[in-house]
Amino acid sequence: MIIAGAGGFAGTCLRYLTGVLAKQWCSGAFPLGTFIVNALGCLIIGIVYGLSERSGALNSNHVLLLATGFCGGFTTFSAFANEAWTLGTKGDMLMSVLYVAASIVVGIVCVWAGRIITEPAITTSC
């Protein structure tokens, strides 16, 4: 519990800072901070599980710290769902649908990319 909690604390702090920076970069209706956090969280969890499953470079405590703890504190799916609902109820249904679709597609692509990054290099022999 301490390991997951430490990761969660770090993830939560970085999530907050990402949100603050995103608001400085983009003041529009699109929830950029949450979008960035969810995409990065998906990439990180893909890398963590890829390293753990493919090379054994991460043990169960590493996965607990990084996937359960850090990514659990860092990603904001509940905030994502609330922001999508809020956009829709404020009459910006197109932005809501765009946000949901882009978040899901980019999230899945980032998990895939994280796993690809951790694949061993393909070697050929002559």
Side-chain angles (χ1 to χ4, degrees):
M1 192 174 355
I2 298 296
I3 293 170
F9 175 77
T12 299
C13 292
L14 189 56
R15 192 276 173 262
Y16 171 76
L17 292 174
T18 303
V20 169
L21 290 173
K23 284 183 182 179
Q24 291 175 357
W25 295 333
C26 178
S27 61
F30 192 81
L32 183 63
T34 303
F35 183 76
I36 290 170
V37 163
N38 285 336
L40 284 176
C42 289
L43 178 64
I44 292 166
I45 208 165
I47 290 171
V48 167
Y49 279 107
L51 287 173
S52 174
E53 294 167 1
R54 287 193 173 84
S55 68
L58 300 178
N59 65 35
S60 61
N61 284 335
H62 295 124
V63 173
L64 182 62
L65 174 74
L66 298 170
T68 304
F70 181 81
C71 287
F74 184 61
T75 59
T76 54
F77 195 78
S78 58
F80 155 72
N82 184 62
E83 288 168 345
W85 180 84
T86 301
L87 285 169
T89 59
K90 288 185 176 179
D92 203 346
M93 191 55 72
L94 179 61
M95 184 64 77
S96 178
V97 170
L98 174 65
Y99 179 51
V100 168
S103 295
I104 291 169
V105 170
V106 170
I108 291 168
V109 168
C110 285
V111 167
W112 170 79
R115 289 176 170 269
I116 293 295
I117 288 168
T118 63
E119 282 186 3
I122 298 172
T123 57
T124 58
S125 58
C126 298

